[in-house]
Short mmCIF file of all heavy atoms in Angstrom, two decimals:
data_model
loop_
_atom_site.label_atom_id
_atom_site.label_comp_id
_atom_site.label_asym_id
_atom_site.label_seq_id
_atom_site.Cartn_x
_atom_site.Cartn_y
_atom_site.Cartn_z
N GLU A 1345 -5.83 -0.31 16.19
CA GLU A 1345 -6.43 0.72 17.07
C GLU A 1345 -6.28 2.11 16.46
O GLU A 1345 -7.20 2.92 16.51
CB GLU A 1345 -5.78 0.66 18.46
CG GLU A 1345 -6.39 -0.45 19.31
CD GLU A 1345 -5.54 -0.86 20.50
OE1 GLU A 1345 -4.52 -0.20 20.78
OE2 GLU A 1345 -5.88 -1.88 21.13
N ALA A 1346 -5.11 2.38 15.86
CA ALA A 1346 -4.90 3.69 15.21
C ALA A 1346 -5.90 3.87 14.06
O ALA A 1346 -6.45 4.96 13.87
CB ALA A 1346 -3.46 3.79 14.70
N VAL A 1359 -5.47 -1.27 1.75
CA VAL A 1359 -5.03 -2.33 0.85
C VAL A 1359 -3.72 -2.87 1.40
O VAL A 1359 -2.75 -2.11 1.55
CB VAL A 1359 -4.85 -1.80 -0.60
CG1 VAL A 1359 -4.51 -2.95 -1.53
CG2 VAL A 1359 -6.10 -1.06 -1.07
N VAL A 1360 -3.69 -4.15 1.74
CA VAL A 1360 -2.54 -4.72 2.44
C VAL A 1360 -1.62 -5.46 1.45
O VAL A 1360 -2.09 -6.18 0.57
CB VAL A 1360 -3.01 -5.70 3.56
CG1 VAL A 1360 -1.83 -6.24 4.35
CG2 VAL A 1360 -4.00 -5.00 4.50
N GLU A 1368 8.91 -14.79 -0.49
CA GLU A 1368 9.43 -16.16 -0.29
C GLU A 1368 8.72 -17.16 -1.21
O GLU A 1368 9.35 -17.97 -1.87
CB GLU A 1368 9.26 -16.59 1.17
CG GLU A 1368 10.34 -16.02 2.05
CD GLU A 1368 10.19 -16.42 3.52
OE1 GLU A 1368 9.38 -17.33 3.84
OE2 GLU A 1368 10.87 -15.79 4.33
N ARG A 1374 9.20 -19.53 -8.63
CA ARG A 1374 10.03 -19.18 -9.79
C ARG A 1374 11.15 -20.20 -9.97
O ARG A 1374 11.43 -20.65 -11.08
CB ARG A 1374 10.59 -17.77 -9.60
CG ARG A 1374 11.18 -17.20 -10.88
CD ARG A 1374 11.69 -15.79 -10.68
NE ARG A 1374 10.66 -14.78 -10.76
CZ ARG A 1374 10.54 -13.76 -9.91
NH1 ARG A 1374 11.35 -13.64 -8.88
NH2 ARG A 1374 9.59 -12.87 -10.08
N GLU A 1380 5.77 -15.77 -14.68
CA GLU A 1380 5.61 -14.55 -13.87
C GLU A 1380 4.15 -14.36 -13.43
O GLU A 1380 3.88 -13.94 -12.31
CB GLU A 1380 6.10 -13.31 -14.65
CG GLU A 1380 7.61 -13.21 -14.73
CD GLU A 1380 8.27 -13.22 -13.35
OE1 GLU A 1380 7.91 -12.39 -12.49
OE2 GLU A 1380 9.14 -14.08 -13.11
N CYS A 1383 3.45 -16.48 -10.58
CA CYS A 1383 4.06 -15.89 -9.37
C CYS A 1383 3.23 -14.72 -8.86
O CYS A 1383 3.05 -14.54 -7.65
CB CYS A 1383 5.48 -15.43 -9.67
SG CYS A 1383 6.60 -16.81 -9.99
N GLY A 1387 1.51 -14.11 -5.22
CA GLY A 1387 1.64 -12.84 -4.48
C GLY A 1387 0.29 -12.33 -4.03
O GLY A 1387 0.13 -11.86 -2.89
N LEU A 1402 -8.87 -5.96 13.51
CA LEU A 1402 -9.88 -4.90 13.51
C LEU A 1402 -11.19 -5.35 14.15
O LEU A 1402 -12.03 -4.52 14.53
CB LEU A 1402 -10.13 -4.41 12.07
CG LEU A 1402 -9.00 -3.57 11.48
CD1 LEU A 1402 -9.14 -3.48 9.96
CD2 LEU A 1402 -8.98 -2.17 12.09
N TYR A 1422 -19.29 -0.51 6.03
CA TYR A 1422 -18.37 -0.36 7.17
C TYR A 1422 -17.52 0.91 7.00
O TYR A 1422 -17.22 1.31 5.88
CB TYR A 1422 -17.45 -1.58 7.27
CG TYR A 1422 -18.09 -2.78 7.90
CD1 TYR A 1422 -18.93 -3.62 7.17
CD2 TYR A 1422 -17.85 -3.09 9.24
CE1 TYR A 1422 -19.52 -4.74 7.77
CE2 TYR A 1422 -18.43 -4.20 9.84
CZ TYR A 1422 -19.26 -5.01 9.10
OH TYR A 1422 -19.84 -6.11 9.69
N ILE A 1424 -14.46 0.99 7.94
CA ILE A 1424 -13.13 0.49 7.56
C ILE A 1424 -13.32 -0.70 6.63
O ILE A 1424 -14.08 -1.63 6.95
CB ILE A 1424 -12.31 0.03 8.79
CG1 ILE A 1424 -12.20 1.15 9.82
CG2 ILE A 1424 -10.92 -0.43 8.36
CD1 ILE A 1424 -11.35 0.80 11.04
N VAL A 1425 -12.64 -0.66 5.48
CA VAL A 1425 -12.74 -1.76 4.52
C VAL A 1425 -11.31 -2.22 4.19
O VAL A 1425 -10.43 -1.39 3.93
CB VAL A 1425 -13.46 -1.30 3.22
CG1 VAL A 1425 -13.49 -2.43 2.21
CG2 VAL A 1425 -14.86 -0.81 3.54
N ILE A 1461 10.25 8.42 -0.67
CA ILE A 1461 10.80 8.10 -1.99
C ILE A 1461 12.21 8.69 -2.09
O ILE A 1461 12.44 9.84 -1.70
CB ILE A 1461 9.88 8.64 -3.09
CG1 ILE A 1461 8.54 7.89 -3.03
CG2 ILE A 1461 10.53 8.51 -4.46
CD1 ILE A 1461 7.54 8.30 -4.07
N LYS A 1481 4.67 13.88 -12.17
CA LYS A 1481 5.46 13.61 -13.38
C LYS A 1481 6.83 13.00 -13.00
O LYS A 1481 7.28 12.02 -13.60
CB LYS A 1481 5.68 14.93 -14.13
CG LYS A 1481 5.92 14.77 -15.59
CD LYS A 1481 5.81 16.13 -16.23
CE LYS A 1481 6.53 16.09 -17.57
NZ LYS A 1481 6.69 17.40 -18.13
N MET A 1488 9.22 4.37 -13.58
CA MET A 1488 9.45 3.65 -14.84
C MET A 1488 10.80 2.93 -14.87
O MET A 1488 11.02 2.02 -15.65
CB MET A 1488 9.34 4.60 -16.05
CG MET A 1488 7.93 5.02 -16.35
SD MET A 1488 6.84 3.59 -16.60
CE MET A 1488 5.25 4.34 -16.51
N ARG A 1497 11.10 -5.45 -5.53
CA ARG A 1497 11.08 -4.43 -4.46
C ARG A 1497 11.23 -3.07 -5.11
O ARG A 1497 12.26 -2.77 -5.68
CB ARG A 1497 12.26 -4.65 -3.52
CG ARG A 1497 12.15 -5.88 -2.71
CD ARG A 1497 13.15 -5.83 -1.59
NE ARG A 1497 12.60 -5.05 -0.49
CZ ARG A 1497 12.59 -5.48 0.76
NH1 ARG A 1497 13.09 -6.63 1.06
NH2 ARG A 1497 12.09 -4.74 1.71
N LYS A 1541 0.56 17.13 -7.98
CA LYS A 1541 0.62 17.58 -9.37
C LYS A 1541 1.49 18.83 -9.36
O LYS A 1541 1.57 19.49 -8.34
CB LYS A 1541 -0.81 17.93 -9.80
CG LYS A 1541 -1.05 17.85 -11.27
CD LYS A 1541 -2.54 18.13 -11.50
CE LYS A 1541 -2.80 18.76 -12.84
NZ LYS A 1541 -2.69 17.83 -13.95
#
Side-chain angles (χ1 to χ4, degrees):
E1345 279 162 8
V1359 185
V1360 183
E1368 280 179 13
R1374 194 179 277 135
E1380 285 304 305
C1383 292
L1402 287 163
Y1422 281 81
I1424 305 183
V1425 177
I1461 295 181
K1481 205 168 160 191
M1488 287 305 166
R1497 291 194 83 130
K1541 204 176 151 74

